[in-house]
Amino acid sequence: MTTAPTLIDFPFSPRGDRLPPEIEQLRATPVTRVRTIAGDEAWLVSSYQLCRQVLEDPQFSLKDTSAPGVPRQYALTIPPEVVNNMGNITGAGLRKAVLKAINPKAGGLTEWMTDHAAHLVDGLLGYGPPVDLRGQFTNPYAEHLHCHILGIPRDDAPLLASSLDIAFMNSACPITGARLNWDRDIAYMAGRLNDPATDGLMAELAALRGDPDYAHLTDEMLATVGVTMFGAGVISTMGALTMAVFTLLQNPEIWEQLCAEPGKIPAAVDELLRVNLSIADGLPRLAMKDMQLGDTEIKKGELVLVLVEAANTDESVFPDPHTIDIDRPNAAAHLSFGYGGHYCPAVPLGKKHIETAIEALTTRMPGLHLAVPVDQLVWRTRFMKRIPERLPVAW
């Protein structure tokens, strides 16, 4: 009698301060069978070249991971049709408006980020040490940025942010509150469309309702753009920024170098993103036909998960991958923003968000350091991100 092999449970450790040991064990088998949170089987892909192959091949579909009856990484906590959000935006003819709104070179957005990061740092200095860098800087910076882009009141950020714990939860089973939160947030954004005080992207979307070329759009469709941009945007920028700053605090020699040479900050951002361990799940794709992936045959309908942190530490692409080298010539080749057709369109915004934050912190708080030993930080996978619950710092 043959015993079926024991499947590896995925995801791995929730800690964002160390690479899970399972990753090095996967180097010899870069396509490995795993069991997901939802209890389904999936293929976990961990080498850089194979991860890139999956991400750029349209036969590995993102949209179809939300189809009924397919294997899942975790239960859906947003409506299935929203999974392929940027594809929906493009299909509705709204891509141009969205890309314009998130372009850091347009509308004084970079200047706003620079000024607001400095304003928040001044608040930290006025509060006095220790402070929770997450609660008092990286969270509000991400939330306020997306309120500014959408053209909605900053005071409404806590209301929208209160939905994110559920909307971006790694759960084995559907959660009733997810739909309740979604309906509430859609109603909020729909209300903003009709409010003359609204500006920014939501005002631009509202104005399209008078254009015959956009007669196919409903208020719900436009509100969905606002809800998804706030949620996905805040979670992504907050997680990446939190862990970028954490990485610098764990490497004081690099922090000191950036304090002394602020011109190196833009180039350092890609290396900080390469080693960033905030992504707590795999990038999911569904095989649309039988395909070969390395030495493994993937069957139609099987779930494939791209393990970004493994690809970003693949020694064949990034020599000495565990050393943080802010002068690394190919650091921008990392897959932290995806690759191929679903490469994140907000990459310039995300990088500028991190850059302006680090510039504000290194300029005004050069002595910044963790106020507690790293082993006292509480790590949990929240918002599908590995981030500390609190990040106490002093200076």
Side-chain angles (χ1 to χ4, degrees), residues 29-33 43-45 50 53 60 290-299 302:
T29 54
V31 184
T32 304
R33 205 71 170 150
W43 292 106
L44 186 65
V45 185
L50 294 182
Q53 179 182 334
F60 289 107
D290 292 353
M291 285 180 283
Q292 194 72 21
L293 192 60
D295 297 328
T296 304
E297 184 180 1
I298 309 295
K299 297 291 187 181
E302 290 187 323

mmCIF file of all heavy atoms in Angstrom, residues 29-33 43-45 50 53 60 290-299 302:
data_model
loop_
_atom_site.group_PDB
_atom_site.id
_atom_site.type_symbol
_atom_site.label_atom_id
_atom_site.label_comp_id
_atom_site.label_asym_id
_atom_site.label_seq_id
_atom_site.Cartn_x
_atom_site.Cartn_y
_atom_site.Cartn_z
ATOM 1 N N THR A 29 13.354 21.956 -5.159
ATOM 2 C CA THR A 29 12.074 21.581 -5.773
ATOM 3 C C THR A 29 11.244 22.849 -5.953
ATOM 4 O O THR A 29 10.332 23.121 -5.159
ATOM 5 C CB THR A 29 11.320 20.563 -4.892
ATOM 6 O OG1 THR A 29 11.198 21.094 -3.563
ATOM 7 C CG2 THR A 29 12.036 19.236 -4.857
ATOM 8 N N PRO A 30 11.523 23.637 -6.980
ATOM 9 C CA PRO A 30 10.901 24.956 -7.116
ATOM 10 C C PRO A 30 9.418 24.941 -7.475
ATOM 11 O O PRO A 30 8.790 25.994 -7.485
ATOM 12 C CB PRO A 30 11.725 25.616 -8.223
ATOM 13 C CG PRO A 30 12.282 24.478 -9.005
ATOM 14 C CD PRO A 30 12.538 23.387 -8.021
ATOM 15 N N VAL A 31 8.863 23.772 -7.756
ATOM 16 C CA VAL A 31 7.411 23.644 -7.923
ATOM 17 C C VAL A 31 6.971 22.527 -6.991
ATOM 18 O O VAL A 31 7.284 21.355 -7.208
ATOM 19 C CB VAL A 31 7.019 23.320 -9.376
ATOM 20 C CG1 VAL A 31 5.497 23.283 -9.519
ATOM 21 C CG2 VAL A 31 7.606 24.346 -10.346
ATOM 22 N N THR A 32 6.291 22.902 -5.917
ATOM 23 C CA THR A 32 5.999 21.978 -4.816
ATOM 24 C C THR A 32 4.513 21.984 -4.493
ATOM 25 O O THR A 32 3.867 23.030 -4.509
ATOM 26 C CB THR A 32 6.790 22.389 -3.554
ATOM 27 O OG1 THR A 32 8.179 22.440 -3.862
ATOM 28 C CG2 THR A 32 6.548 21.408 -2.416
ATOM 29 N N ARG A 33 3.991 20.806 -4.172
ATOM 30 C CA ARG A 33 2.580 20.685 -3.814
ATOM 31 C C ARG A 33 2.383 21.114 -2.362
ATOM 32 O O ARG A 33 3.122 20.686 -1.460
ATOM 33 C CB ARG A 33 2.135 19.227 -3.959
ATOM 34 C CG ARG A 33 0.655 19.036 -4.199
ATOM 35 C CD ARG A 33 0.240 19.481 -5.570
ATOM 36 N NE ARG A 33 -1.145 19.058 -5.852
ATOM 37 C CZ ARG A 33 -1.944 19.726 -6.641
ATOM 38 N NH1 ARG A 33 -1.536 20.856 -7.202
ATOM 39 N NH2 ARG A 33 -3.158 19.278 -6.896
ATOM 40 N N TRP A 43 -0.031 24.348 -6.321
ATOM 41 C CA TRP A 43 1.391 24.281 -6.641
ATOM 42 C C TRP A 43 2.060 25.575 -6.172
ATOM 43 O O TRP A 43 1.620 26.663 -6.551
ATOM 44 C CB TRP A 43 1.603 24.122 -8.147
ATOM 45 C CG TRP A 43 1.150 22.801 -8.698
ATOM 46 C CD1 TRP A 43 0.033 22.562 -9.449
ATOM 47 C CD2 TRP A 43 1.822 21.548 -8.546
ATOM 48 N NE1 TRP A 43 -0.047 21.225 -9.776
ATOM 49 C CE2 TRP A 43 1.041 20.576 -9.235
ATOM 50 C CE3 TRP A 43 2.985 21.143 -7.900
ATOM 51 C CZ2 TRP A 43 1.405 19.233 -9.290
ATOM 52 C CZ3 TRP A 43 3.345 19.806 -7.949
ATOM 53 C CH2 TRP A 43 2.569 18.873 -8.638
ATOM 54 N N LEU A 44 3.091 25.449 -5.362
ATOM 55 C CA LEU A 44 3.839 26.608 -4.877
ATOM 56 C C LEU A 44 5.108 26.736 -5.712
ATOM 57 O O LEU A 44 5.926 25.823 -5.760
ATOM 58 C CB LEU A 44 4.193 26.439 -3.402
ATOM 59 C CG LEU A 44 4.857 27.633 -2.729
ATOM 60 C CD1 LEU A 44 3.897 28.825 -2.666
ATOM 61 C CD2 LEU A 44 5.319 27.269 -1.316
ATOM 62 N N VAL A 45 5.271 27.886 -6.373
ATOM 63 C CA VAL A 45 6.392 28.107 -7.282
ATOM 64 C C VAL A 45 7.375 29.064 -6.611
ATOM 65 O O VAL A 45 6.978 30.145 -6.154
ATOM 66 C CB VAL A 45 5.898 28.700 -8.619
ATOM 67 C CG1 VAL A 45 7.052 28.825 -9.602
ATOM 68 C CG2 VAL A 45 4.794 27.830 -9.206
ATOM 69 N N LEU A 50 10.723 30.615 -12.879
ATOM 70 C CA LEU A 50 9.413 29.993 -12.987
ATOM 71 C C LEU A 50 8.318 30.909 -12.448
ATOM 72 O O LEU A 50 7.202 30.929 -12.984
ATOM 73 C CB LEU A 50 9.407 28.647 -12.259
ATOM 74 C CG LEU A 50 10.304 27.563 -12.878
ATOM 75 C CD1 LEU A 50 10.184 26.260 -12.090
ATOM 76 C CD2 LEU A 50 9.964 27.323 -14.338
ATOM 77 N N GLN A 53 7.641 33.243 -15.187
ATOM 78 C CA GLN A 53 6.906 32.558 -16.254
ATOM 79 C C GLN A 53 5.413 32.514 -15.947
ATOM 80 O O GLN A 53 4.574 32.771 -16.821
ATOM 81 C CB GLN A 53 7.441 31.133 -16.439
ATOM 82 C CG GLN A 53 6.711 30.336 -17.514
ATOM 83 C CD GLN A 53 7.232 28.909 -17.628
ATOM 84 O OE1 GLN A 53 8.390 28.623 -17.294
ATOM 85 N NE2 GLN A 53 6.384 28.005 -18.084
ATOM 86 N N PHE A 60 -2.074 31.416 -17.188
ATOM 87 C CA PHE A 60 -2.187 31.364 -15.731
ATOM 88 C C PHE A 60 -3.018 32.588 -15.344
ATOM 89 O O PHE A 60 -2.520 33.708 -15.331
ATOM 90 C CB PHE A 60 -0.813 31.389 -15.058
ATOM 91 C CG PHE A 60 -0.020 30.122 -15.221
ATOM 92 C CD1 PHE A 60 1.072 30.067 -16.072
ATOM 93 C CD2 PHE A 60 -0.375 28.980 -14.520
ATOM 94 C CE1 PHE A 60 1.805 28.906 -16.224
ATOM 95 C CE2 PHE A 60 0.349 27.798 -14.664
ATOM 96 C CZ PHE A 60 1.442 27.761 -15.521
ATOM 97 N N ASP A 290 -3.619 22.445 -19.604
ATOM 98 C CA ASP A 290 -2.472 21.659 -19.163
ATOM 99 C C ASP A 290 -1.197 22.349 -19.640
ATOM 100 O O ASP A 290 -1.079 22.733 -20.817
ATOM 101 C CB ASP A 290 -2.532 20.245 -19.742
ATOM 102 C CG ASP A 290 -3.673 19.423 -19.165
ATOM 103 O OD1 ASP A 290 -4.334 19.899 -18.224
ATOM 104 O OD2 ASP A 290 -3.922 18.312 -19.672
ATOM 105 N N MET A 291 -0.239 22.535 -18.728
ATOM 106 C CA MET A 291 1.002 23.230 -19.078
ATOM 107 C C MET A 291 2.179 22.610 -18.355
ATOM 108 O O MET A 291 2.024 21.993 -17.293
ATOM 109 C CB MET A 291 0.889 24.714 -18.712
ATOM 110 C CG MET A 291 0.025 25.516 -19.655
ATOM 111 S SD MET A 291 -0.069 27.258 -19.186
ATOM 112 C CE MET A 291 -1.222 27.176 -17.831
ATOM 113 N N GLN A 292 3.360 22.845 -18.907
ATOM 114 C CA GLN A 292 4.593 22.398 -18.288
ATOM 115 C C GLN A 292 5.242 23.572 -17.580
ATOM 116 O O GLN A 292 5.405 24.653 -18.160
ATOM 117 C CB GLN A 292 5.548 21.841 -19.349
ATOM 118 C CG GLN A 292 6.722 21.051 -18.783
ATOM 119 C CD GLN A 292 6.309 19.685 -18.232
ATOM 120 O OE1 GLN A 292 5.260 19.157 -18.589
ATOM 121 N NE2 GLN A 292 7.118 19.135 -17.348
ATOM 122 N N LEU A 293 5.610 23.378 -16.328
ATOM 123 C CA LEU A 293 6.276 24.415 -15.547
ATOM 124 C C LEU A 293 7.537 23.796 -14.972
ATOM 125 O O LEU A 293 7.488 23.032 -13.997
ATOM 126 C CB LEU A 293 5.352 24.918 -14.439
ATOM 127 C CG LEU A 293 5.787 26.191 -13.699
ATOM 128 C CD1 LEU A 293 5.923 27.361 -14.663
ATOM 129 C CD2 LEU A 293 4.789 26.535 -12.599
ATOM 130 N N GLY A 294 8.657 24.079 -15.608
ATOM 131 C CA GLY A 294 9.882 23.391 -15.220
ATOM 132 C C GLY A 294 9.735 21.911 -15.500
ATOM 133 O O GLY A 294 9.375 21.505 -16.610
ATOM 134 N N ASP A 295 9.987 21.091 -14.491
ATOM 135 C CA ASP A 295 9.851 19.642 -14.641
ATOM 136 C C ASP A 295 8.468 19.144 -14.246
ATOM 137 O O ASP A 295 8.233 17.935 -14.210
ATOM 138 C CB ASP A 295 10.908 18.929 -13.780
ATOM 139 C CG ASP A 295 12.322 19.246 -14.224
ATOM 140 O OD1 ASP A 295 12.527 19.471 -15.437
ATOM 141 O OD2 ASP A 295 13.227 19.291 -13.361
ATOM 142 N N THR A 296 7.561 20.042 -13.947
ATOM 143 C CA THR A 296 6.252 19.667 -13.406
ATOM 144 C C THR A 296 5.142 19.928 -14.415
ATOM 145 O O THR A 296 5.105 21.002 -15.039
ATOM 146 C CB THR A 296 5.958 20.450 -12.113
ATOM 147 O OG1 THR A 296 7.016 20.218 -11.173
ATOM 148 C CG2 THR A 296 4.634 20.030 -11.507
ATOM 149 N N GLU A 297 4.237 18.989 -14.543
ATOM 150 C CA GLU A 297 3.070 19.178 -15.398
ATOM 151 C C GLU A 297 1.921 19.743 -14.558
ATOM 152 O O GLU A 297 1.526 19.148 -13.558
ATOM 153 C CB GLU A 297 2.640 17.862 -16.041
ATOM 154 C CG GLU A 297 1.478 18.034 -17.016
ATOM 155 C CD GLU A 297 1.038 16.737 -17.673
ATOM 156 O OE1 GLU A 297 1.641 15.687 -17.343
ATOM 157 O OE2 GLU A 297 0.103 16.759 -18.487
ATOM 158 N N ILE A 298 1.442 20.888 -14.955
ATOM 159 C CA ILE A 298 0.325 21.537 -14.274
ATOM 160 C C ILE A 298 -0.941 21.245 -15.056
ATOM 161 O O ILE A 298 -0.993 21.462 -16.265
ATOM 162 C CB ILE A 298 0.539 23.065 -14.177
ATOM 163 C CG1 ILE A 298 1.918 23.395 -13.584
ATOM 164 C CG2 ILE A 298 -0.586 23.709 -13.364
ATOM 165 C CD1 ILE A 298 2.113 22.968 -12.170
ATOM 166 N N LYS A 299 -1.965 20.752 -14.391
ATOM 167 C CA LYS A 299 -3.213 20.396 -15.049
ATOM 168 C C LYS A 299 -4.167 21.589 -15.089
ATOM 169 O O LYS A 299 -4.156 22.457 -14.199
ATOM 170 C CB LYS A 299 -3.884 19.241 -14.308
ATOM 171 C CG LYS A 299 -3.088 17.943 -14.306
ATOM 172 C CD LYS A 299 -3.034 17.348 -15.697
ATOM 173 C CE LYS A 299 -2.376 15.956 -15.675
ATOM 174 N NZ LYS A 299 -2.300 15.382 -17.042
ATOM 175 N N GLU A 302 -5.876 23.735 -11.970
ATOM 176 C CA GLU A 302 -5.107 23.684 -10.729
ATOM 177 C C GLU A 302 -4.665 25.094 -10.327
ATOM 178 O O GLU A 302 -4.427 25.966 -11.162
ATOM 179 C CB GLU A 302 -3.900 22.766 -10.881
ATOM 180 C CG GLU A 302 -4.294 21.297 -10.988
ATOM 181 C CD GLU A 302 -3.113 20.356 -10.979
ATOM 182 O OE1 GLU A 302 -2.058 20.706 -11.566
ATOM 183 O OE2 GLU A 302 -3.233 19.274 -10.387
#
